[in-house]
Amino acid sequence: MTTAAAAALPLATARQASAAGAPGFRHGIASGDPLPDGVLLWTRITPVPEAVPGSGAGPDTEVAWEVATDPEFGSVVTRGSVTASAATDHTVKADVRGLRPDTAYYYRFSADGVTSPVGRTRTAPAAGASPANLRLGVVSCSNYEAGHFAAYRHLAARGDLHAAVHLGDYIYEYTTGVTPAEPVRRQEPPHEVLLADYRVRHGHYRTDPDLQALHAAHPVIAIWDDHETANDAWREGAQNHSPDTEGPWAARRAAAVRAYFAWMPVRPAVEGTTYRRLRFGDLAGLHLLDLRSFRDQQAGRGGSEVDSPDRTITGRAQLEWLTTGLAESGTQWHLIGNSVMIAPVAFGSVPAYLLGPIAECLGIPEGGLAVNTDQWDGYPHDRQRLLDHLREREITNTVFLTGDIHMHWANDVPVSAATYPVSPSVATEFVVTSVTSDNLDDILGVPPRTVSGVAEAAVRAANRHVRWVDMDVHGYGVLDVTPERAQMDYFALTDRADPEAGSSLLRSYLTRSGTQRVVRADEPVA
């Protein structure tokens, strides 16, 4: 069986099971966080009809799992069982070990005579291996009400990916009709999510057939951003949280974190956070950041000053973990899963009539557009510490993979943006647009490419390290890393409101090994 055919089997199986409403495994299956000798498997069992997400109802149920080298399960290599209970919302995880490196496997679950859809996963290369390439699908910002998850469908159909990376905003906490004002489809629960509602919201997202297909086809490596809890979250609160009417922030965050780790195929390296590290032979290390749990409040919301050296977006322990890991990784490429943009961006030259819509797209007050204080721009001392570390330790080939901003970008990351390109670039950044969440043309209610060209040109003129930006499309990216270069192919969907939306290549950018600069690629990866 060819690789493409093997990948297509779980896609068809997952869609078939979803359409048939198979009892028991109504929320699909998933794998994540691949290691050289193992992978994390996930599913949810519905043991009785009333055991819906967030209900707390339903008996403990034994769930068996098995892993094979073929989709017909003629060659089972390992099996086991786990117990699903109301304590974890009847979700289960199996941290399977003893597998071969860099190998495709198939897995399934069963309980009470019912068998789940079949999933396909893949282990990482061995630590000392030298793989020819690493290819990752890259997505972010998937608001259920804003459209359909066609981007997931297109990635699920690809047979050439080693994994998919989700950079955050996997769910949105908003009440129905907040964004967008006129929903394409309705979510559950319809009100803003609090406490047990996070389980309901995760469960409703997991009924989407394209989301199920993505998880069935590839291991997913995920970090969170703010909407997994509340908009513009920080260590002790969020813009979209009122303690007077919604209770203590600590209780709300704890509920969101508990639901997230129950519903996502994520192996927490540090309890209650998503920062961790994966390795793909000696080719690439993937350093995954948590930029919400430890950050100080965004500047301008409580009197904080952007230029205070004490302000942090990472927290001191996580920043030390990152810098030490980069210095000691032993890999040629250093990929950083980064939920908010690190390249500095000034918006002051954007025409006044576009400032409001862009501010809404970014989720910041219009008056804060000169510096987006929810991004690394609001924490310049942490950024400078990291960039100085890269320069002083002569760490090359660092590539930030970023979401959040609902736009495609390709950036150099300079030590000093004010003097670039005289001052060096010490890293590069590929930012992927949203799967569905509003971007510039959506907010303005105009056809794509109507006014965005003016804003894009102004941004590039004011920020010479920004090599390219597209403010209108929805879609995804495919990153391909080889010893010679790291290349991002940027894809655009035809219509986020169309469940059968098509996809086309928009542009490709790459950074060659040792250059720390982004250039346009002549063609997409094969």
Side-chain angles (χ1 to χ4, degrees):
M1 179 178 290
T2 65
T3 302
L9 177 70
L11 171 61
T13 306
R15 280 180 166 273
Q16 204 171 47
S18 176
F25 298 96
R26 299 172 183 171
H27 299 89
I29 42 85
S31 69
D33 283 6
L35 302 174
D37 68 338
V39 69
L40 195 69
L41 304 182
W42 176 96
T43 193
R44 183 185 191 272
I45 184 73
T46 305
V48 292
E50 60 268 24
V52 295
S55 66
D60 290 1
T61 303
E62 194 76 4
V63 179
W65 55 265
E66 54 185 347
V67 177
T69 56
D70 64 300
E72 293 80 22
F73 289 80
S75 300
V76 174
V77 296
T78 185
R79 54 169 50 96
S81 65
V82 284
T83 300
S85 70
T88 57
D89 209 18
H90 285 96
T91 64
V92 294
K93 292 181 181 180
D95 197 349
V96 180
R97 300 299 177 96
L99 304 179
R100 296 197 306 267
D102 200 16
T103 302
Y105 288 96
Y106 298 85
Y107 63 96
R108 64 187 178 187
F109 298 86
S110 60
D112 295 334
V114 177
T115 302
S116 75
V118 175
R120 181 181 181 272
T121 190
R122 188 177 188 91
T123 53
S130 299
N133 80 312
L134 170 67
R135 192 166 297 175
L136 304 171
V138 187
V139 289
S140 74
C141 302
S142 41
N143 186 334
Y144 186 94
E145 292 204 328
H148 294 275
F149 295 158
Y152 293 162
R153 171 168 51 85
H154 288 287
L155 287 174
R158 294 185 63 131
D160 59 341
L161 303 182
H162 295 92
V165 177
H166 202 296
L167 294 167
D169 294 345
Y170 181 93
I171 66 166
Y172 276 68
E173 88 287 6
Y174 289 137
T175 190
T176 288
V178 169
T179 176
E182 295 295 331
V184 173
R185 51 182 181 164
R186 300 282 175 167
Q187 65 192 2
E188 294 295 335
H191 54 271
E192 184 178 327
V193 293
L194 293 167
L195 305 177
D197 295 333
Y198 284 101
R199 289 175 162 177
V200 180
R201 186 64 57 85
H202 273 281
H204 192 238
Y205 271 60
R206 283 300 185 96
T207 63
D208 182 273
D210 293 325
L211 185 151
Q212 289 192 11
L214 176 68
H215 281 292
H218 309 296
V220 172
I221 302 164
I223 56 175
W224 60 42
D225 194 21
D226 51 340
H227 290 290
E228 283 85 355
T229 51
N231 184 52
D232 282 4
W234 58 287
R235 186 176 61 249
E236 297 178 7
Q239 176 272 332
N240 192 33
H241 178 76
S242 170
D244 292 340
T245 58
E246 297 174 324
W249 169 252
R252 181 176 184 177
R253 182 187 182 278
V257 168
R258 184 177 178 184
Y260 184 90
F261 281 117
W263 279 89
M264 298 293 291
V266 168
R267 185 186 294 110
V270 179
E271 186 63 32
T273 78
T274 57
Y275 80 79
R276 61 202 190 282
R277 186 175 290 120
L278 299 172
R279 180 173 174 144
F280 299 87
D282 60 14
L283 179 63
L286 177 56
H287 311 261
L288 299 154
L289 301 184
D290 175 354
L291 299 182
R292 293 294 168 184
S293 299
F294 311 104
R295 69 158 69 197
D296 290 309
Q297 187 175 16
Q298 294 85 346
R301 301 172 191 179
S304 301
E305 296 296 331
V306 167
D307 60 358
S308 169
D310 296 327
R311 289 173 43 75
T312 181
I313 188 173
T314 59
R316 294 293 171 253
Q318 184 178 194
L319 186 59
E320 182 177 350
W321 168 88
L322 176 60
T323 54
T324 301
L326 291 170
E328 299 177 353
S329 75
T331 61
Q332 181 174 353
W333 291 91
H334 314 284
L335 310 178
I336 300 179
N338 173 57
S339 59
V340 296
M341 189 183 291
I342 190 165
V345 178
F347 292 92
S349 59
V350 174
Y353 70 94
L354 293 177
L355 287 178
I358 292 176
E360 184 178 345
C361 182
L362 304 182
I364 58 175
E366 182 176 340
L369 259 180
V371 175
N372 183 349
T373 60
D374 189 57
Q375 298 179 171
W376 286 78
D377 270 339
Y379 307 85
H381 288 272
D382 265 5
R383 178 172 60 198
Q384 201 61 50
R385 292 182 186 104
L386 176 54
L387 301 185
D388 286 346
H389 176 79
L390 297 177
R391 180 176 57 175
E392 292 164 4
R393 298 297 294 269
E394 298 182 341
I395 298 170
T396 59
N397 298 340
T398 300
V399 180
F400 291 88
L401 305 177
T402 303
D404 178 66
I405 204 167
H406 308 177
M407 307 170 189
H408 282 320
W409 299 66
N411 304 320
D412 294 339
V413 183
V415 173
S416 172
T419 57
Y420 178 86
V422 175
S423 63
S425 174
V426 294
T428 53
E429 181 175 37
F430 297 129
V431 183
V432 295
T433 190
S434 62
V435 171
T436 59
S437 304
D438 283 355
N439 47 29
L440 187 58
D441 59 321
D442 302 319
I443 293 167
L444 289 171
V446 298
R449 313 314 305 163
T450 302
V451 297
S452 56
V454 175
E456 292 162 4
V459 166
R460 292 196 305 273
N463 302 274
R464 288 171 290 179
H465 56 283
V466 173
R467 315 309 298 171
W468 174 68
V469 56
D470 186 297
M471 294 185 172
D472 281 349
V473 301
H474 301 281
Y476 57 95
V478 174
L479 177 78
D480 188 75
V481 182
T482 70
E484 294 75 31
R485 56 98 183 103
Q487 177 169 325
M488 180 70 84
D489 292 343
Y490 294 92
F491 289 85
L493 300 175
T494 54
D495 182 0
R496 65 172 176 168
D498 179 4
E500 301 301 324
S503 170
S504 62
L505 178 73
L506 191 61
R507 283 199 184 191
S508 299
Y509 283 84
L510 62 81
T511 175
R512 295 186 176 91
S513 180
T515 65
Q516 285 65 253
R517 296 289 180 97
V518 167
V519 296
R520 187 168 181 178
D522 294 330
E523 56 186 8
V525 297

